[in-house]
Amino acid sequence: MSIPLAQARILIVDDLLLVRTLLARVLTGMGTQPERLLQATDGNSAIRVIHEHYIDAIVCDVEMTPMNGLELLAHIRAGQTATRPNIPFVFLSCHDDPLHRLAAE
């Protein structure tokens, strides 16, 4: 089941405020309602947001501390969070590391 982007609740996870702000602007420009965008600074804070809100999709940085994006995805896919394990999950990274791509599959 898909929902219109305007109705989607999207979690942006990145340790840099600038990146989160730019992503929010892009998503808003594409039609997402600003009040439906949530933000987190790392995997741990993302899990807290997931436990407090229903999320339709996640856009996430790979490299963050203390919990990086790959670890967050592993927790979600293993059913260890309050969201569904098959939630749409998009990684952002400035690195072209084949090991990251393999781990994300």
Side-chain angles (χ1 to χ4, degrees):
M1 177 174 101
S2 65
I3 61 170
L5 193 55
Q7 296 175 1
R9 180 161 290 167
I10 300 172
L11 174 58
I12 300 168
V13 187
D14 197 294
D15 53 347
L16 298 175
L17 176 60
L18 176 63
V19 174
R20 293 192 315 270
T21 301
L22 291 173
L23 282 170
R25 286 186 184 175
V26 167
L27 290 166
T28 301
M30 294 173 63
T32 304
Q33 299 300 312
E35 64 273 8
R36 299 194 64 80
L37 294 174
L38 301 167
Q39 297 185 17
T41 58
D42 61 59
N44 289 328
S45 61
I47 289 173
R48 285 191 295 277
V49 172
I50 288 168
H51 283 280
E52 295 171 4
H53 302 277
Y54 180 85
I55 305 295
D56 295 300
I58 299 171
V59 180
C60 184
D61 186 20
V62 173
E63 293 187 24
M64 301 171 289
T65 59
M67 180 189 291
N68 68 41
L70 294 169
E71 294 166 327
L72 173 61
L73 179 62
H75 282 310
I76 290 171
R77 295 296 187 243
Q80 298 172 347
T81 66
T83 193
R84 62 198 185 285
N86 65 340
I87 188 170
F89 197 105
V90 177
F91 273 121
L92 298 175
S93 179
C94 63
H95 300 287
D96 187 22
D97 185 344
L99 293 177
H100 281 162
R101 286 195 309 267
L102 288 173
E105 291 181 351

